[in-house]
């Protein structure tokens, strides 16, 4: 039997998970590792209901600069300093943007795996300086990490093709919702099967604007329920609202942090529209298929990897309009697609994901991981929005 480990998780907003994919992964994986007897320390940006612990994980709350370009790095810098002074067996660092801080952990002889996430430099919210920073941070993650974690095959492909660097492929989990109740839907004035759903942070690469535009242009009769918001995104939020143009069928709920209500919204939607395009495997998409929601997704490799033939795909507003009208015209076919997606969701299991993290942590402590790689790019810089070509090896 392997011995217990002390594990630190660094670079996210922390737990409880209330924001995005990294936080979801930290909560789901960290809580399982803690339940298996490992000591798990999570660095957090805000206090929770219990400032000391959450689901067996130790919470360390540290401040951050409230500025988009500095928030993540400033918090991680304080977290790394704290961690270097209070050693741990293994560190998981989330977000390649934090890679300039990895030499501190290497100097403290803490084995580290970096979860590199999606192609952040493709996001339009970053100007030329930000894009150059993220491109450079990818190379530093390759150079200074003992192992790299990718959450989608497309991301693994990218690091193999771009740097010749191996990755450990660890996706996210899809919670299965079997016969969920519908009593909370009345809180937002909808009925089972009586609405289309969008759940997304309001950023251009998540294509909320296309979902709203495509819906408004369609002849759909069921309302469109839009869940989401974003810090630092007032201009884009205004654009999305303007595209609705006062259409009474479009209902903006803002951020919804009630997990029970969100589960019911996913499970009883006539369709779920998923526009994420650059972030790898997305927890919202997995949550939707785990709930059996018929899904219309933006047509990129990450989404096709998850949905396969049971998904519907669109790259523009006109295609979204056609899919919405088809879902309403043929609801039984849509429900059959949702059932097929729920079967695919069984391949995304948080227990197996935690197994992967646990195995990697033991290999890191034993110094049996790939180790830092040469970080020279192997091909010219790709244009923003380019999908990685499929051909990768993961270890």
């Amino acid at each position: 039997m392997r011995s217990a480990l002390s594990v630190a998780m660094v670079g996210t907003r922390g737990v409880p998970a209330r924001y995005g994919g990294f936080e979801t992964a930290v909560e789901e994986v960290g809580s399982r590792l803690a339940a298996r007897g490992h000591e798990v320390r999570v660095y957090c940006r805000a206090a929770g209901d219990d400032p000391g612990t959450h689901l067996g994980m130790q919470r360390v709350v540290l401040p951050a600069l409230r500025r988009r370009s500095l928030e993540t790095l400033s918090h991680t810098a304080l977290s790394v300093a704290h961690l270097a002074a209070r050693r741990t067996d293994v560190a998981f660092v989330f977000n390649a943007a934090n890679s300039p801080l990895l030499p501190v952990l290497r100097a403290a002889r803490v084995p580290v795996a970096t979860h590199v996430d999606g192609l952040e430099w493709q996001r339009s919210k970053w100007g030329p300086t930000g894009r150059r920073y993220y491109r450079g941070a990818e190379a530093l993650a390759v150079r200074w990490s003992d192992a790299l974690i990718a959450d989608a095959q497309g991301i693994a492909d990218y690091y193999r093709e771009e740097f010749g660097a191996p990755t450990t492929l660890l996706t996210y989990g899809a919670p299965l919702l079997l016969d969920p109740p519908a009593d909370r839907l009345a809180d937002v004035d909808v009925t089972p099967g009586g609405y289309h759903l969008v759940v997304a942070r309001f950023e251009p690469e998540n294509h909320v604007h296309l979902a709203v535009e495509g819906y408004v242009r369609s002849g759909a009769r069921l309302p469109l329920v839009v869940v989401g918001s974003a810090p630092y995104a007032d201009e884009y939020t205004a654009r999305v609202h303007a595209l609705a143009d006062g259409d009474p069928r479009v209902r903006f709920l803002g951020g919804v942090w009630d997990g029970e209500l969100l589960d019911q919204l996913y499970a009883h939607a006539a369709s779920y529209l998923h526009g994420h395009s650059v972030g790898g495997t997305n927890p919202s998409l997995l949550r939707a298929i785990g709930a059996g929601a018929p899904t219309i997704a933006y047509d990129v490799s990450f989404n096709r990897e998850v949905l396969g033939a049971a998904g519907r795909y669109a790259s523009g507003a006109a295609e979204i309009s056609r899919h919405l009208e088809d879902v309403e015209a043929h609801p039984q076919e849509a429900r059959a697609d949702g059932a097929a997606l729920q079967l695919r969701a069984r391949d995304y299991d948080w227990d197996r994901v935690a197994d992967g993290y646990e195995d990697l942590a033991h290999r890191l402590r034993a110094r049996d991981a790939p180790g830092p790689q040469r970080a020279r790019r192997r091909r010219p810089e790709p244009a923003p929005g380019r999908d990685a070509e499929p051909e990768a090896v993961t270890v």
Side-chain angles (χ1 to χ4, degrees), residues 14-163:
V15 294
R18 295 194 177 100
Y19 195 71
F22 278 153
E23 288 73 23
T24 301
V26 168
E27 179 163 295
E28 296 288 350
V29 173
S31 62
R32 284 168 171 78
L33 295 181
R36 297 175 186 184
H38 301 296
E39 178 186 309
V40 179
R41 184 192 314 164
V42 179
Y43 287 88
C44 308
R45 297 185 200 174
D49 297 332
D50 183 341
T53 62
H54 176 68
L55 299 178
M57 298 170 282
Q58 177 191 353
R59 302 177 71 251
V60 178
V61 180
L62 296 170
L65 295 175
R66 299 301 177 187
R67 184 177 173 185
R68 181 173 67 186
S69 59
L70 296 174
E71 183 173 352
T72 294
L73 200 59
S74 64
H75 180 262
T76 303
L78 292 176
S79 302
V80 165
H82 184 281
L83 175 57
R86 299 163 180 81
R87 279 197 47 111
T88 186
D89 291 329
V90 174
F92 290 116
V93 174
F94 292 79
N95 196 338
N98 292 312
S99 60
L101 298 166
L102 295 178
V104 178
L105 296 179
R106 297 197 64 79
R109 299 187 61 77
V110 176
V112 58
T114 302
H115 188 311
V116 292
D117 193 29
L119 308 181
E120 185 70 19
W121 55 270
Q122 291 189 2
R123 295 189 185 276
S124 61
K125 68 181 179 180
W126 304 116
T129 300
R131 292 191 184 106
R132 283 194 298 271
Y133 175 84
Y134 275 101
R135 290 277 289 169
E138 291 176 349
L140 296 181
V142 172
R143 179 181 299 170
W144 290 332
S145 302
D146 294 293
L148 300 173
I149 298 170
D151 63 33
Q153 187 63 50
I155 299 299
D157 294 344
Y158 173 80
Y159 275 83
R160 171 65 71 182
E161 295 169 2
E162 191 77 3
F163 301 103

Side-chain angles (χ1 to χ4, degrees), residues 48-370:
D49 297 332
D50 183 341
T53 62
H54 176 68
L55 299 178
M57 298 170 282
Q58 177 191 353
R59 302 177 71 251
V60 178
V61 180
L62 296 170
L65 295 175
R66 299 301 177 187
R67 184 177 173 185
R68 181 173 67 186
S69 59
L70 296 174
E71 183 173 352
T72 294
L73 200 59
S74 64
H75 180 262
T76 303
L78 292 176
S79 302
V80 165
H82 184 281
L83 175 57
R86 299 163 180 81
R87 279 197 47 111
T88 186
D89 291 329
V90 174
F92 290 116
V93 174
F94 292 79
N95 196 338
N98 292 312
S99 60
L101 298 166
L102 295 178
V104 178
L105 296 179
R106 297 197 64 79
R109 299 187 61 77
V110 176
V112 58
T114 302
H115 188 311
V116 292
D117 193 29
L119 308 181
E120 185 70 19
W121 55 270
Q122 291 189 2
R123 295 189 185 276
S124 61
K125 68 181 179 180
W126 304 116
T129 300
R131 292 191 184 106
R132 283 194 298 271
Y133 175 84
Y134 275 101
R135 290 277 289 169
E138 291 176 349
L140 296 181
V142 172
R143 179 181 299 170
W144 290 332
S145 302
D146 294 293
L148 300 173
I149 298 170
D151 63 33
Q153 187 63 50
I155 299 299
D157 294 344
Y158 173 80
Y159 275 83
R160 171 65 71 182
E161 295 169 2
E162 191 77 3
F163 301 103
T167 59
T168 299
L169 181 60
L170 297 172
T171 63
Y172 294 147
L176 292 176
L177 296 175
L178 305 175
D179 297 320
D183 57 297
R184 297 295 308 281
L185 297 182
D187 296 353
V188 291
D189 194 28
V190 294
T191 58
Y195 58 95
H196 304 282
L197 179 67
V198 175
V199 181
R201 192 183 313 168
F202 277 28
E203 294 181 347
E205 293 73 28
N206 294 344
H207 294 98
V208 182
H209 62 288
L210 278 185
V212 172
E213 181 183 358
Y215 175 84
V216 169
R217 288 169 52 177
S218 77
R221 295 173 294 102
L222 303 177
L224 178 68
V225 175
V226 183
V227 175
S229 60
Y232 316 117
D234 292 345
E235 183 177 344
Y236 182 71
T237 299
R239 176 187 172 193
V240 171
H241 280 261
L243 285 168
D245 193 27
D247 189 325
R249 298 175 299 163
V250 183
R251 304 180 187 177
F252 292 100
L253 300 188
V256 173
W257 313 114
D258 184 326
E260 183 182 43
L261 174 58
L262 270 177
D263 283 344
Q264 293 190 20
L265 284 170
Y266 282 112
H268 298 291
S271 73
Y272 166 69
L273 287 80
H274 184 79
H276 298 64
S277 63
V278 302
T281 302
N282 183 267
S284 182
L285 181 59
L286 294 178
R287 196 168 180 177
I289 68 171
T295 299
I296 303 165
Y298 193 75
D299 195 359
V300 291
S301 62
F302 305 128
N303 295 334
R304 284 187 175 270
E305 180 182 328
V306 173
L307 301 176
R312 301 166 188 241
Y313 302 97
S315 300
E319 292 170 290
I320 291 172
S321 297
R322 288 195 296 271
H323 283 309
L324 289 168
E325 291 168 355
D326 186 67
V327 165
E328 293 194 7
H330 305 97
Q332 290 184 328
E333 291 181 13
R335 286 194 292 272
D337 288 340
L341 289 172
Q342 193 168 52
L343 287 177
R344 290 183 66 87
R346 297 179 184 275
D347 293 334
Y348 294 88
D349 178 80
W350 277 120
D351 288 333
R352 290 204 298 269
V353 175
D355 290 344
Y357 274 88
E358 185 178 34
D359 179 69
L360 178 57
H362 281 292
R363 288 192 287 118
L364 286 166
R365 185 172 68 172
R367 306 290 176 175
D368 185 24

